Amino acid sequence: MLGTDASYLLGAYKPLPVPAADRSAVTELLLDAVRASGAVYGLLMADTYVVAMSRAKQQPALHPDDVLLLANFVTCNNAYRHGHGEAFSPVCMPHYNSDAFLHAYIHYLDASSGLYFVLLSGSAEAFHQLSAARLWFEDQASAQGLLSRMRSICPPKLTGTSNDIITRSPQPRQLNVLSVENLPRPLGGKFGHTPLWSYSVRFRQMQQAIFSPPCPLHCSPPGAARLAASYTQLHSLLHSPAATGRPNKLAWFASSAAVLVGARDREMDVYLVCDPLTDKSTALALLDAMRRHFSDRGIVGDVALLPPV
């Protein structure tokens, strides 16, 4: 996971693109399940992507590192995915409390799409309450048609051998909102028709990061690793200032492999990986266009978990 996923480095978790209305409805059901069961947190996830998240009153927001640890804990244990039942396990969430465990109720709602439900409780005796809350959530979400829609929006997967190009079945339109091809001009275009290859945007206040689907050069496991290394290099350039107390606001690196450009402000960090022939003025224009695009709350609402207004 860490070799091909830069979200851990950015200190952010990845939201799954979901229509804002559906995410809001799922979040409300999750909140009701948390209240009814006495849990402290509730999450609906698809592999390492967060679909929705709720928390009990007076609980702090989960730290992104804790979300990533939880996702890694669940997805790396095939027994949870293929056990055809419910699991209850202690988990350490170090940013929440490094000296104690929370108890995670885990149930896969759909193993094929990687959709699973998690309730976190402070009690080791809470299994039956958590199980009942999950059953209620599943019934309500099914009755509203939410589960079928969530199952259809499964996250992309990297599979195959080290040199294989990944072939994917056609993705639902909602997942394509992040693709470079579907971005407005001058950002968007088919591969080879735009200098932009891949991008990531980290929303600083929300502690979430979105990533474009990989271009053809990054669809194999080695390609995904190269892309993650590019984001790592950009992050290092942007967050390792030459002078103490004077953080970099812009990073630029050009090589025969790619042009990397990144910028940060109070709202977001933007990372772009471009064609190696991209000149600096073009890259900076793309950077500015990307910031304007994802400053639109209506656009962000379909790709990230918005905080309550």
Side-chain angles (χ1 to χ4, degrees), residues 1-291:
M1 171 182 168
L2 299 184
T4 57
D5 186 352
S7 57
Y8 75 96
L9 179 71
L10 302 184
Y13 62 85
K14 296 182 298 183
L16 186 69
V18 171
D22 284 351
R23 197 190 310 272
S24 178
V26 170
T27 302
E28 284 298 318
L29 292 178
L30 262 181
L31 183 57
D32 288 342
V34 166
R35 289 169 176 163
S37 64
V40 289
Y41 296 101
L43 301 95
L44 184 65
M45 302 191 67
D47 289 340
T48 58
Y49 291 78
V50 178
V51 178
M53 191 184 325
S54 292
R55 52 181 162 147
K57 280 186 177 181
Q58 300 182 339
Q59 292 296 332
L62 273 178
H63 192 280
D65 289 351
D66 287 343
V67 176
L68 292 169
L69 280 172
L70 178 64
N72 207 41
F73 174 75
V74 175
T75 57
C76 287
N77 191 329
N78 284 331
Y80 293 144
R81 188 167 193 149
H82 302 294
H84 307 293
E86 304 162 291
F88 193 55
S89 175
V91 292
C92 180
M93 312 289 274
H95 288 276
Y96 179 77
N97 187 340
S98 60
D99 297 321
F101 289 101
L102 287 176
H103 298 271
Y105 171 90
I106 303 162
H107 178 74
Y108 266 87
L109 300 173
D110 187 66
S112 61
S113 64
L115 188 69
Y116 58 95
F117 175 92
V118 178
L119 287 174
L120 297 172
S121 172
S123 171
E125 309 298 326
F127 174 83
H128 294 292
Q129 298 97 299
L130 302 176
S131 178
R134 189 271 303 172
L135 282 169
W136 176 87
F137 172 89
E138 194 167 359
D139 287 344
Q140 293 296 314
S142 295
Q144 297 179 33
L146 293 168
L147 274 190
S148 60
R149 294 199 290 276
M150 294 302 103
R151 290 186 181 108
S152 71
I153 308 177
C154 55
K157 295 178 176 64
L158 285 174
T159 57
T161 59
S162 60
N163 294 313
D164 287 342
I165 295 296
I166 304 307
T167 57
R168 287 185 172 85
S169 57
Q171 295 285 1
R173 181 180 179 278
Q174 185 61 28
L175 269 186
N176 290 329
V177 298
L178 295 178
S179 70
V180 171
E181 185 172 344
N182 290 332
L183 291 175
R185 293 288 186 178
L187 292 167
K190 292 184 178 180
F191 180 70
H193 294 259
T194 173
L196 180 62
W197 282 354
S198 295
Y199 69 88
S200 174
V201 178
R202 177 182 182 266
F203 301 103
R204 297 174 68 90
Q205 297 300 318
M206 298 189 293
Q207 296 184 306
Q208 300 172 48
I210 56 173
F211 295 83
S212 61
C215 72
L217 292 178
H218 302 137
C219 281
S220 66
R226 288 194 300 272
L227 180 60
S230 295
Y231 287 135
T232 300
Q233 185 174 10
L234 259 179
H235 181 272
S236 177
L237 291 170
L238 201 57
H239 292 269
S240 301
T244 304
R246 298 177 62 186
N248 295 324
K249 294 184 178 181
L250 180 68
W252 159 269
F253 181 81
S255 71
S256 59
V259 162
L260 311 179
V261 60
R264 63 176 178 171
D265 56 27
R266 292 181 179 179
E267 301 297 325
M268 65 184 77
D269 298 352
V270 180
Y271 302 86
L272 306 184
V273 180
C274 301
D275 183 290
L277 298 179
T278 307
D279 60 70
K280 192 169 186 177
S281 61
T282 299
L284 293 178
L286 292 173
L287 198 64
D288 185 58
M290 186 70 71
R291 283 194 287 196

